[in-house]
Amino acid sequence: MALRLALLGFGNVGQAFARLLLEKRETLQRDYGLTWTVVGIATARHSIACDQAGLDLHRALLAARAGDSLAPFHQGPALSNSLAFIQACDADVLFELTPLNAESGQPAITHMQTGLRKGQHVITANKGPIAFAYRALRDLAKGQERALRFEGTLLDGAPVFSLVSQVLPASRVLGFRGIVNSTTNFILSRMEEGLSMTDALREAQSLGITEADTDYDVDGWDAAVKTAILINVLMGGDVTPSSIQRSGIRAITTRAVMDAVRIDRRFKLLAQATQQGSGVVGMVAPAMLPTTDPLAHLRGTSNALTLITDTMGELTIVESNPGLAQTAYALLSDLIYVAREHHPAGL
Ligand SMILES: NC(=O)c1ccc[n+]([C@@H]2O[C@H](COP(=O)([O-])OP(=O)(O)OC[C@H]3O[C@@H](n4cnc5c(N)ncnc54)[C@H](OP(=O)(O)O)[C@@H]3O)[C@@H](O)[C@H]2O)c1
């Protein structure tokens, strides 16, 4: 099975995924009979490149690392924007990897709708579209008989959605509790060591783990977006990020964090949801957890999510210090899923 791939967004995640594609090329071919060609890469300020014969991904990565334009790789009439890119680039799978818009999910929702209507499978690490338009995108994908995959939107790629949909049949998720934003956990861990929030945030930025707009991390928007995704996808809810009760970590001082350590407590940004009546209530807020709470021990970029289920009780997924490599892996595992489920004859 040969799949043509288009990458919409070629920043931290897009480039990490490209590196993993190259690294796993032989494994994909040998173990899954899957070969791939990247036929297009689109960015906002570094131009758009399409080539139906396949782009040289090594050279595209070198150009991106040097901050150069991708224009020299382009073949054919110039493409003015991302929608023209989706239409012109004849891809089987569209990867939507543009920045999060935590207020509306756009323009990524339109990117994904355009790709699905064109008959492309869509894989994303962008939380916005899944938080704001999950039902519409899911129904569109179903109508088009295409895949919509988004494992990379949460817990840096740890298999949350696959776990529930594939490994826990006939189970209901009744609620959850967790630490779902790596940046704030990293910042709070560094503040325990005496760093200011500004310096800790700068360090997180240098690791490429923050949102393009870092206020989304610090003010709890990213965690609220993830809470909305979990409620909508796993609990059958219909909420938006703005309906999640939200407060971030901005008001927390290094002194307060260090004082908490002295009394065996840890500041953490907690995301949680519970069923109330016929609805679901989601909340994101800092909490001073006692060290007897397993979540208190998560350090650095680590994430954890406890799912409360009707069949298995509480199940916790812990991911130790994930980074870009894990998000890239989620995209790769989604790609293998697409190949297996939608093109089985080729595998
Ligand atoms: N970084 C992480 O650890 C992580 C983890 C999980 C999920 N995510 C999600 O993955 C997505 C990408 O994150 P990232 O860290 O790779 O972001 P990033 O480094 O800021 O890269 C974003 C890319 O999208 C391009 N872009 C922006 N607007 C565009 C548009 N309208 N059309 C076409 N291209 C556009 C940018 O172009 P220019 O380069 O020209 O600006 C850049 O190539 C985000 O939604 C983020 O929330 C990130």
Side-chain angles (χ1 to χ4, degrees):
M1 155 63 33
L3 289 176
R4 290 159 301 168
L5 318 179
L7 310 184
L8 180 46
F10 201 51
N12 293 309
V13 173
Q15 291 173 44
F17 176 55
R19 287 192 294 272
L20 187 61
L21 273 176
L22 290 167
E23 189 189 316
K24 293 287 182 184
R25 191 194 281 271
E26 277 175 27
T27 306
L28 293 178
Q29 183 155 17
R30 188 188 60 232
D31 297 348
Y32 302 95
L34 170 60
T35 58
W36 54 264
T37 313
V38 173
V39 292
I41 301 176
T43 70
R45 297 163 299 148
H46 298 85
S47 198
I48 293 176
C50 270
D51 184 348
Q52 286 314 126
L55 295 164
D56 182 332
L57 204 50
H58 275 294
R59 288 183 55 217
L61 276 167
L62 287 174
R65 198 176 310 154
D68 293 342
S69 167
L70 297 174
F73 299 100
H74 184 66
Q75 299 291 327
L79 301 170
S80 55
N81 58 43
S82 43
L83 294 181
F85 166 79
I86 298 167
Q87 293 295 356
C89 223
D90 203 10
D92 302 303
V93 187
L94 174 69
F95 289 83
E96 215 296 342
L97 307 172
T98 66
L100 167 67
N101 174 341
E103 275 124 56
S104 70
Q106 289 290 16
I109 295 172
T110 307
H111 294 158
M112 291 168 64
Q113 287 170 330
T114 307
L116 288 168
R117 287 198 185 104
K118 196 174 180 315
Q120 296 170 337
H121 303 291
V122 173
I123 295 174
T124 191
N126 188 340
K127 296 162 277 281
I130 309 304
F132 284 93
Y134 170 63
R135 286 185 183 207
L137 288 167
R138 178 197 62 189
D139 294 348
L140 178 59
K142 200 169 171 196
Q144 296 287 99
E145 296 182 1
R146 299 290 89 177
L148 170 68
R149 303 285 300 175
F150 44 85
E151 198 71 84
T153 57
L154 255 165
L155 288 208
D156 292 287
V160 175
F161 303 113
S162 320
L163 174 80
V164 175
S165 66
Q166 288 162 45
V167 185
L168 297 174
S171 296
R172 281 179 60 216
V173 176
L174 307 172
F176 60 84
R177 176 177 184 267
I179 293 172
V180 296
N181 178 265
S182 296
T183 301
T184 45
N185 202 58
F186 179 85
I187 291 172
L188 291 169
S189 298
R190 295 294 279 139
M191 287 168 77
E192 285 174 15
E193 294 156 22
L195 245 69
S196 70
M197 187 177 293
T198 311
D199 287 346
L201 177 59
R202 205 169 292 133
E203 206 176 309
Q205 278 177 298
S206 72
L207 296 174
I209 57 166
T210 63
E211 289 302 325
D213 180 344
T214 55
D215 290 353
Y216 284 166
D217 290 309
V218 175
D219 293 329
W221 274 111
D222 175 76
V225 166
K226 288 169 174 163
T227 302
I229 291 176
L230 285 165
I231 290 172
N232 292 343
V233 178
L234 298 185
M235 299 178 72
D238 193 10
V239 301
T240 62
S242 49
S243 66
I244 306 297
Q245 297 168 37
R246 174 188 57 83
S247 49
I249 64 164
R250 194 174 290 280
I252 300 174
T253 62
T254 300
R255 175 148 199 180
V257 171
M258 295 179 81
D259 284 348
V261 172
R262 275 184 214 107
I263 55 166
D264 284 336
R265 289 183 174 256
R266 301 286 185 274
F267 270 103
K268 296 289 171 193
L269 187 65
L270 269 194
Q272 49 197 318
T274 48
Q275 278 182 321
Q276 284 188 12
S278 57
V280 182
V281 174
M283 190 170 88
V284 170
M288 225 172 47
L289 301 181
T291 47
T292 48
D293 187 323
L295 293 183
H297 299 283
L298 286 187
R299 313 263 321 147
T301 60
S302 299
N303 286 312
L305 181 68
T306 298
L307 297 174
I308 301 148
T309 70
D310 66 340
T311 51
M312 291 293 294
E314 291 192 5
L315 276 178
T316 300
I317 302 169
V318 179
E319 197 175 24
S320 284
N321 280 314
L324 287 166
Q326 284 68 35
T327 301
Y329 175 70
L331 298 170
L332 188 81
S333 68
D334 279 345
L335 176 63
I336 295 171
Y337 174 92
V338 166
R340 274 178 161 163
E341 295 295 313
H342 290 262
H343 304 273
L347 290 183

